[in-house]
Amino acid sequence: MAKLLPTSTAGSLPKPSWLAQPEVLWSPWKLQDEGLTEGKQDALRLALHEQQHAGIDIVSDGEQSRQHFVTTFIEHLNGVDFEKRETVRIRDRYDASVPSVVGEVSRQKPVFVDDARFLREQTTQPIKWALPGPMTMIDTLYDGHYQSREKLAWEFAKILNQEARELEEAGVDIIQFDEPAFNVFFDEVNDWGIATLEKAIEGLKCETAVHICYGYGIKANTDWKGTLGTEWRQYEAVFPKLQQSNIDIVSLECHNSRVPMELIELIRGKKVMVGAIDVATHAIETPEEVANTLRKALQFVDAENLYPCTNCGMAPLPRQVARAKLDALSAGAEMVRKELEK
């Protein structure tokens, strides 16, 4: 991708109100059957148009066809019972009722490949597709079968690799794995988490990314952030091993966070999607604020490796707020792009 500082989003965008209740995670669909299929495609077209209108360079589906970034993928797998629910601690942060693993997990057919193919038909721009990472998947379930987080993660990695290979064939340019759990379970990340992620990308020729953030702008996450002190150094525990991995791109949270920017130095040589948009507030960043975040990041990442991005997905935000934030991201990146080209 030749353009300097190509912009993208971390993942989800708000859904239109005719498809699902706005500003809510796990919001039930308002349509059914063929109407739902058509509605998801219309919403995908709309999300693409809004990214293009804002000048976003690497576009996505805005996760319009899924209720949640993890569970929608899991819903399509064998071995998981959504009726048999248990309460577990998610990300060691909050309790949630989750489905149970009751047998061998497997994927009978592609999950998102038709959607990715549809997006590919709508644009010639580079497209990025997000999948949940193995560790974040296991942290969103009760495992009554394998009874081993590591064993289940390896099984999910194999399944994700099957899906990723078909997404690549469908024309996806970047496949991103969402791993917010990497910011919590540091020993497991270094022991086997990154290894399972590398299994998930095995054999891919397209670019690969891992997104590690501090979560959606929901109360459980913002409360947790309030306990982390004046410096958030979680990345420090996993970046050294990530730097040695086969992952091409690391997507991280920066703007309005307490992450010391110099931690990016630990992944020198990787491409970095720098979060320059705060998804935990309705306040709209100015282009100058975005530009300042990017200028700080440029001290620790080469310009050709810097991809301006959002901190996380924007599904819980009002649509007009998300649109304005995309505009700011694009305008701020353009300011820095012009400075670099002088």
Side-chain angles (χ1 to χ4, degrees):
M1 298 167 190
K3 184 175 183 178
L4 199 61
L5 308 187
T7 52
S8 70
T9 66
S12 63
L13 294 172
K15 293 181 178 69
S17 58
W18 45 260
L19 181 63
Q21 182 180 343
E23 302 174 48
V24 178
L25 297 179
W26 284 294
S27 178
W29 302 117
K30 293 185 177 181
L31 305 173
Q32 294 179 338
D33 304 323
E34 289 183 10
L36 178 58
T37 300
E38 186 174 323
K40 288 176 179 178
Q41 289 185 340
D42 288 344
L44 187 153
R45 284 194 189 97
L46 188 57
L48 173 62
H49 171 76
E50 292 185 345
Q51 291 170 82
Q52 291 173 328
H53 188 266
I56 300 301
D57 300 301
I58 302 167
V59 295
S60 77
D61 66 324
E63 301 184 11
Q64 298 298 296
S65 64
R66 47 188 122 174
Q67 286 180 303
H68 187 262
F69 79 105
V70 180
T71 54
T72 298
F73 186 78
I74 294 172
E75 282 172 6
H76 291 78
L77 305 182
N78 294 332
V80 182
D81 188 342
F82 274 73
E83 299 300 318
K84 184 178 172 60
R85 304 186 77 86
E86 300 284 349
T87 299
V88 302
R89 195 92 175 145
I90 302 286
R91 242 77 80 223
D92 204 22
R93 200 174 307 159
Y94 57 93
D95 293 329
S97 173
V98 300
S100 297
V101 178
V102 295
E104 299 287 324
V105 292
S106 63
R107 164 187 172 271
Q108 279 193 315
K109 60 182 181 179
V111 179
F112 297 131
V113 175
D114 285 345
D115 294 330
R117 194 173 290 117
F118 181 78
L119 176 60
R120 179 75 285 167
E121 291 169 355
Q122 310 305 311
T123 181
T124 58
Q125 287 177 251
I127 63 176
K128 176 164 73 76
W129 201 273
L131 293 172
M135 180 170 281
T136 296
M137 288 176 71
I138 65 170
D139 195 54
T140 317
L141 292 167
Y142 174 78
D143 176 18
H145 179 73
Y146 296 93
Q147 298 184 347
S148 163
R149 285 168 61 86
E150 182 178 357
K151 286 180 182 177
L152 183 56
W154 281 106
E155 293 303 316
F156 280 147
K158 295 172 192 173
I159 292 170
L160 288 165
N161 186 248
Q162 295 167 3
E163 181 80 7
R165 286 171 184 254
E166 294 192 38
L167 287 170
E168 181 182 55
E169 290 176 6
V172 172
D173 300 282
I174 302 173
I175 297 176
Q176 172 180 298
F177 295 88
D178 294 333
E179 282 288 20
F182 274 23
N183 253 353
V184 182
F185 307 108
F186 308 122
D187 290 342
E188 290 180 322
V189 173
N190 285 298
D191 288 346
W192 48 263
I194 292 171
T196 60
L197 191 60
E198 289 193 301
K199 178 63 180 179
I201 69 170
E202 192 174 77
L204 297 178
K205 297 180 180 64
C206 66
E207 286 198 297
T208 58
V210 59
H211 173 65
I212 313 169
C213 67
Y214 289 80
Y216 279 126
I218 60 175
K219 187 176 186 301
N221 292 334
T222 54
D223 288 351
W224 172 63
K225 291 178 185 182
T227 70
L228 298 180
T230 56
E231 279 198 344
W232 302 352
R233 304 193 71 92
Q234 285 71 21
Y235 290 141
E236 196 168 34
V238 299
F239 274 8
K241 196 147 190 174
L242 264 180
Q243 199 278 332
Q244 299 169 22
S245 74
N246 294 325
I247 291 284
D248 299 307
I249 305 167
V250 181
S251 169
L252 48 90
E253 180 169 332
C254 291
H255 183 62
N256 276 358
S257 77
R258 296 175 183 169
V259 174
M261 195 69 80
E262 64 266 21
L263 295 184
I264 299 177
E265 182 68 49
L266 296 172
I267 47 172
R268 174 75 74 172
K270 296 290 186 189
K271 295 178 180 178
V272 184
M273 288 183 172
V274 171
I277 294 292
D278 183 0
V279 303
T281 175
H282 289 191
I284 311 301
E285 290 80 0
T286 65
E288 181 61 31
E289 286 175 322
V290 171
N292 277 336
T293 298
L294 301 179
R295 291 182 192 115
K296 291 173 185 174
L298 282 168
Q299 299 174 62
F300 308 103
V301 58
D302 297 335
E304 61 269 22
N305 287 340
L306 196 155
Y307 290 31
C309 193
T310 58
N311 277 351
C312 188
M314 296 198 284
L317 292 176
R319 285 180 66 200
Q320 69 272 19
V321 170
R323 281 197 295 264
K325 284 177 175 283
L326 291 181
D327 289 338
L329 177 65
S330 188
E334 181 60 20
M335 290 174 66
V336 180
R337 202 176 287 124
K338 287 180 177 177
E339 294 168 7
L340 292 170
E341 290 171 350
K342 285 180 181 177

